[in-house]
Amino acid sequence: MASALNAQKGGEKGRMDYWLLTATLMLAGFGLIMVLSASGIMAERIYGDTYYFFKRQLMFTGAGIVAMVAIIQIPRKAIYSLTYFWVGLAIILLALCVSPLGASVNGASRWVRIGPVNVQPLEYAKVALVLYLAYFFARKQDLVRTFSVGFLPPFMVTGLLCGLLLLQPDFGGAVVMCGLLFFMCLAGGTRFSYLFISLIFAGGAGWMLISSSPYRFKRWTAFLDPFASAQNEGYQLVQSLYAFGSGKIFGTGIGAGQRKLFFLPEAHNDFIMAVVGEELGFVGMSLFFVLVGLFLYRAFRVAMRLEDLQDRFTAFGTTLILALGMVLNLAVVLGTVPPKGVAMPFISYGGSSLTVSFICAGILLNLSRRVKA
């Protein structure tokens, strides 16, 4: 009786998806282990503390879990009611990156310094965009196939966010945002002819941006043949491929990898999966894929079984944020797409990426209580 009253108060119908929660915590735990393994030598060299990055990742994990638990408890209507606030906040934070308040790292102003940490607004802008698109497509279903209503508004909002990202510059981040827009429009009912034409224009614009920048063009050619520039633009990808090859079937063992010993740049960040491949081998990577598959299966299951249209689009979009991150990160470290800064959700070192991964999981777990058993 008490549980029924609580469900009625919260407007929820069922139990939370504990399989999804278990998969989330297992991914986060695995990420902590791999950050400890991949970052120790670099942390010792730079900070004189082997556990420097691990301790920070542990702190980020704690903050992420707190955020996830809070979002699970917040009524979803409270989140939806602030949709335009989240979009406005994302625009402000992205604009701050290219202002004097932005923090420049490796020639790109993609962070805003808040106290002792650098916050990457891109990660939070993904969630804001998904909440906006879910709200938009749920409210405009009767007009979604028209050009003026079903096509222009979502493309204009996404275009504004992408424009701010390109000013940083963050070409990879803009590509991810466009990917979210494309799949959300596809699910929302936008005419495919509009999407197809927009893909052609986006491809042309992307090629112009690549060809107009010597740096981007060199990275593109390095992706096509990394061993031709193994000591320059192709160095990172070549080291990543060597790491996967060294892992063989069972891997070298956790902590015993060689590529992280100053051979592989960003070993604990974007290229952490290369360390996983080297230390855990084919078997370990296969088990990781099983865990990722369980997580995505439960997440998409939540999206498909929700009755309310905005709930369904929101669950689909938040799952898409994590799925695109996982697929693109693996594609980069395996050399199947040009290199870009895409973190592996729950695994890569970094507070913004990890916190947003937990926020997405919290939204999914919140909505999972509305799924009929």
Side-chain angles (χ1 to χ4, degrees):
M1 182 67 175
S3 61
L5 288 174
N6 289 335
Q8 188 176 4
K9 278 184 177 181
E12 311 301 343
K13 293 184 177 181
R15 295 181 61 195
M16 187 171 62
D17 190 328
Y18 287 100
W19 280 106
L20 181 59
L21 176 61
T22 300
T24 298
L25 296 178
M26 288 180 68
L27 283 170
F30 179 71
L32 282 172
I33 294 171
M34 294 314 304
V35 166
L36 176 61
S37 176
S39 67
I41 188 70
M42 183 67 72
E44 178 66 30
R45 181 179 184 179
I46 299 176
Y47 299 102
D49 180 2
T50 303
Y51 303 104
Y52 176 83
F53 292 114
F54 172 74
K55 288 187 289 189
R56 288 174 66 86
Q57 188 77 346
L58 190 61
M59 178 186 70
F60 297 145
T61 300
I65 290 175
V66 170
M68 179 178 71
V69 172
I71 290 173
I72 292 173
Q73 301 302 321
I74 295 174
R76 76 195 204 292
K77 294 296 184 184
I79 300 174
Y80 294 163
S81 65
L82 296 173
T83 295
Y84 286 101
F85 170 79
W86 304 131
V87 174
L89 183 61
I91 292 172
I92 292 171
L93 288 174
L94 288 173
L96 286 177
C97 288
V98 294
S99 75
L101 297 177
S104 180
V105 180
N106 296 327
S109 299
R110 301 172 185 174
W111 293 266
V112 176
R113 180 169 289 278
I114 300 178
V117 298
N118 287 337
V119 174
Q120 189 173 16
L122 164 66
E123 300 296 336
Y124 302 94
K126 294 175 189 176
V127 180
L129 178 63
V130 161
L131 290 173
Y132 164 74
L133 292 175
Y135 171 85
F136 177 85
F137 285 118
R139 296 292 187 274
K140 305 292 183 180
Q141 271 299 294
D142 53 335
L143 299 171
V144 76
R145 296 182 65 80
T146 64
F147 181 81
S148 60
V149 177
F151 179 82
L152 282 182
F155 272 73
M156 290 174 66
V157 171
T158 308
L160 175 59
L161 295 173
C162 288
L164 291 170
L165 286 168
L166 292 175
L167 290 175
Q168 297 177 4
D170 188 356
F171 183 74
V175 170
V176 172
M177 297 291 271
C178 289
L180 289 173
L181 171 67
F182 176 81
F183 288 109
M184 289 288 285
C185 285
L186 203 60
T190 302
R191 285 184 182 274
F192 186 76
S193 57
Y194 297 156
L195 295 178
F196 180 74
I197 294 171
S198 67
L199 275 178
I200 295 175
F201 279 103
W207 176 248
M208 288 178 62
L209 287 171
I210 292 172
S211 58
S212 64
S213 169
Y215 170 72
R216 293 196 192 105
F217 190 74
K218 285 181 180 179
R219 294 189 74 181
W220 176 265
T221 55
F223 146 71
L224 295 175
D225 187 6
F227 289 92
S229 56
Q231 297 302 317
N232 296 298
E233 290 80 13
Y235 177 80
Q236 197 167 24
L237 179 54
V238 167
Q239 294 301 318
S240 176
L241 295 175
Y242 280 153
F244 279 107
S246 301
K248 299 182 181 178
I249 301 298
F250 297 103
T252 60
I254 292 181
Q258 299 296 309
R259 294 297 109 188
K260 65 190 180 187
L261 304 180
F262 309 118
F263 292 103
L264 181 63
E266 308 294 334
H268 58 294
N269 290 333
D270 299 340
F271 277 75
I272 195 170
M273 291 309 299
V275 179
V276 176
E278 181 180 14
E279 297 188 348
L280 299 183
F282 175 79
V283 173
M285 285 293 292
S286 298
L287 292 175
F288 174 75
F289 288 148
V290 170
L291 180 57
V292 168
L294 172 64
F295 177 88
L296 294 179
Y297 165 71
R298 300 303 298 190
F300 279 119
R301 180 179 180 273
V302 169
M304 293 179 65
R305 295 196 175 191
L306 286 165
E307 294 181 345
D308 182 81
L309 202 55
Q310 187 170 356
D311 289 345
R312 184 177 295 181
F313 285 134
T314 301
F316 174 73
T318 49
T319 303
L320 199 59
I321 291 173
L322 299 172
L324 280 177
M326 291 169 176
V327 170
L328 287 175
N329 179 272
L330 286 168
V332 167
V333 299
L334 290 170
T336 57
V337 299
K340 56 176 63 68
V342 180
M344 172 60 74
F346 296 109
I347 311 298
S348 294
Y349 171 81
S352 297
S353 171
L354 185 59
T355 304
V356 167
S357 296
F358 275 113
I359 288 173
C360 290
I363 293 172
L364 287 166
L365 290 168
N366 185 319
L367 294 174
S368 71
R369 294 182 296 178
R370 299 185 59 81
V371 174
K372 285 187 176 181

